[in-house]
Amino acid sequence: MSKSIDQKSNKINSSWKSPSNIALIKYWGKHGRQLPNNASISFTLSHASTTTSVIASPRPINDKLAIDFLFEGQSEPNFGRKIDKFLTSIRDEFFPFLYSYHLEINTANTFPHSSGIASSASGMSALALCLCDIDQQLSGQAEYNESFFRKASIIARLGSGSAARSVFPTMSVWGQHPQILGSDDQFAIGIQQNIDPVFKTFHDDILIVSEKQKSVSSTAGHNLMNNNPYAKARYHQAGERMSQLMKALESGDVETFGKITEDEALTLHALMMCSDPSYILLEEGTLSVIKLIRQFRAESNIPVYFTLDAGPNVHILYPDQYTQQVEQFIADHLQQYAQNGRIIKDFVGQGPEKLG
Ligand code: PMV
């Protein structure tokens, strides 16, 4: 039995640090129980992460969940309710131990709450890893093998779709794709072994154009894809781009990688703009930064590209060898578009980490 069980009190604990991820081929549109309408692929990040620790203490069997939830040391009733609802929905299938254990959940992000960086991928994956770990300890296993991470990916997905991709190092694919062996709608897979080394050095400097919470949630955005007139063509396009991108990742073709990545970011926002009702998450600063990146690339021949999440902040992607030139360019020309000068310097990371 694992050492994390306190023999006297029978308390079990688990702590994991799990990263955020940035999609290159975007997941936008879903069906059924949080299943994607197209396959997506992401870089696993390094700095932007969530640390969660869970202490499970035995209690008399009860239908009602018993959870104390603290976010960065403070009780957060809104998050707490969300987690309660989520765990109730998966308890019978995955974690029957929740009927007879009280959970104390403590969670904190490495990036500021108000930074405009979505925390659902890192947060849900960290929680999923802790719960799978406790479940595993209860059943007397202590090996963090492929099936452990697969289950964590499934649980993370049920909490927040894109979180499925956060449990693997370097890059992940989530969603069935005919040319990607082992790909599946239920869970993500790690694909680092098929990736040219140049992509493992990639930086992602996240320029915070606005720290505001986004005005339309991603749940609402996914739902609007159901009536989007371009939806069918979009899912087909995502599949095609996935095939092209996989080839570029394998061969080290940074230019094709960059073209597809930028096209995907703009497609995501175009889909929002032609939803009914339409909406715009880009800000003026977002467009200025995008134009300046393209201009700098054309003039300098340095392979620096952008992508966007469902929000106005710009992820600036480039291989490590160009760090000095790109940082200079950002300081001279882009920093002025960052709210409070905020840029989060991140890079491709090693995936989740179990903490002592
Ligand atoms: O995981 P969700 O439901 O928050 O959706 C995320 C969607 C995007 O971030 C816009 C794209 C993606 O694939 O991560």
Side-chain angles (χ1 to χ4, degrees):
M1 185 72 70
S2 156
K3 290 205 180 63
S4 310
I5 300 184
D6 177 334
Q7 298 296 353
K8 247 197 207 144
S9 63
N10 287 327
K11 283 186 181 181
I12 304 170
N13 56 61
S14 170
S15 297
W16 284 80
K17 182 174 173 191
S18 190
S20 188
N21 69 76
I22 179 70
L24 306 168
I25 302 288
K26 309 290 182 183
Y27 146 61
W28 201 237
K30 61 179 172 179
H31 63 278
R33 207 168 159 206
Q34 201 94 295
L35 296 166
N37 287 351
N38 62 264
S40 57
I41 184 167
S42 56
F43 274 141
T44 302
L45 297 180
S46 184
H47 281 323
S49 63
T50 299
T51 297
T52 296
S53 63
V54 179
I55 302 173
S57 324
R59 60 163 182 148
I61 291 181
N62 195 313
D63 262 0
K64 214 171 140 21
L65 284 180
I67 299 179
D68 289 325
F69 179 82
L70 291 181
F71 178 72
E72 294 176 358
Q74 311 279 326
S75 99
E76 275 281 349
N78 271 348
F79 283 175
R81 269 192 292 279
K82 212 178 145 194
I83 288 189
D84 210 274
K85 196 170 155 210
F86 167 54
L87 294 184
T88 303
S89 74
I90 60 168
R91 169 177 61 176
D92 288 357
E93 196 179 346
F94 295 101
F95 302 124
F97 76 84
L98 292 174
Y99 281 101
S100 54
Y101 278 82
H102 165 270
L103 298 188
E104 186 187 315
I105 305 176
N106 275 283
T107 189
N109 293 335
T110 53
F111 46 94
H113 186 42
S114 65
S115 65
I117 299 282
S119 58
S120 60
S122 54
M124 279 301 172
S125 57
L127 179 63
L129 287 157
C130 290
L131 293 173
C132 290
D133 189 5
I134 290 173
D135 192 43
Q136 181 160 283
Q137 292 182 45
L138 280 166
S139 62
Q141 292 161 30
E143 214 195 318
Y144 302 104
N145 55 18
E146 198 181 321
S147 77
F148 172 82
F149 287 102
R150 177 167 294 180
K151 182 170 171 187
S153 179
I154 293 173
I155 306 295
R157 177 200 109 228
L158 291 167
S160 170
S162 56
R165 296 187 308 244
S166 272
V167 302
F168 300 101
T170 315
M171 297 195 86
S172 301
V173 166
W174 169 41
Q176 209 277 324
H177 188 281
Q179 277 153 24
I180 303 174
L181 198 68
S183 59
D184 201 293
D185 284 354
Q186 304 279 342
F187 49 83
I189 55 171
I191 53 157
Q192 63 165 330
Q193 65 284 3
N194 303 327
I195 305 299
D196 185 272
V198 67
F199 295 109
K200 299 182 181 172
T201 75
F202 256 66
H203 287 239
D204 177 6
D205 290 350
I206 311 166
L207 190 138
I208 309 298
V209 172
S210 167
E211 298 175 341
K212 272 198 308 227
Q213 288 257 323
K214 57 191 173 195
S215 53
V216 180
S217 71
S218 53
T219 305
H222 285 291
N223 285 340
L224 286 172
M225 281 303 283
N226 295 335
N227 293 319
N228 189 307
Y230 302 105
K232 203 170 154 211
R234 157 62 192 161
Y235 301 136
H236 177 74
Q237 173 193 58
E240 299 279 297
R241 283 182 176 164
M242 190 72 161
S243 307
Q244 293 157 10
L245 182 59
M246 285 305 292
K247 258 200 214 144
L249 291 170
E250 281 167 29
S251 64
D253 178 351
V254 174
E255 202 176 316
T256 301
F257 156 90
K259 180 184 178 336
I260 296 172
T261 297
E262 292 193 348
D263 288 349
E264 270 294 294
L266 296 176
T267 300
L268 172 69
H269 284 266
L271 288 166
M272 294 173 190
M273 289 184 214
C274 62
S275 291
D276 186 8
S278 77
Y279 63 106
I280 301 176
L281 297 183
L282 303 176
E283 301 281 345
E284 286 83 345
T286 315
L287 295 178
S288 303
V289 170
I290 287 175
K291 287 182 185 169
L292 286 166
I293 290 174
R294 287 188 157 175
Q295 192 184 330
F296 173 71
R297 185 171 69 231
E299 285 166 4
S300 67
N301 248 331
I302 289 177
V304 50
Y305 302 94
F306 68 84
T307 188
L308 304 161
D309 224 330
N313 303 324
V314 186
H315 291 247
I316 305 168
L317 305 172
Y318 55 93
D320 185 60
Q321 71 185 104
Y322 299 102
T323 303
Q324 208 192 341
Q325 296 98 309
V326 176
E327 283 194 342
Q328 193 62 55
F329 159 64
I330 291 175
D332 293 347
H333 301 282
L334 303 186
Q335 184 110 29
Q336 57 181 306
Y337 297 98
Q339 191 169 8
N340 297 320
R342 191 175 266 173
I343 295 174
I344 297 178
K345 294 194 170 179
D346 215 332
F347 44 85
V348 172
Q350 295 309 306
E353 190 187 333
K354 183 171 161 65
L355 306 174

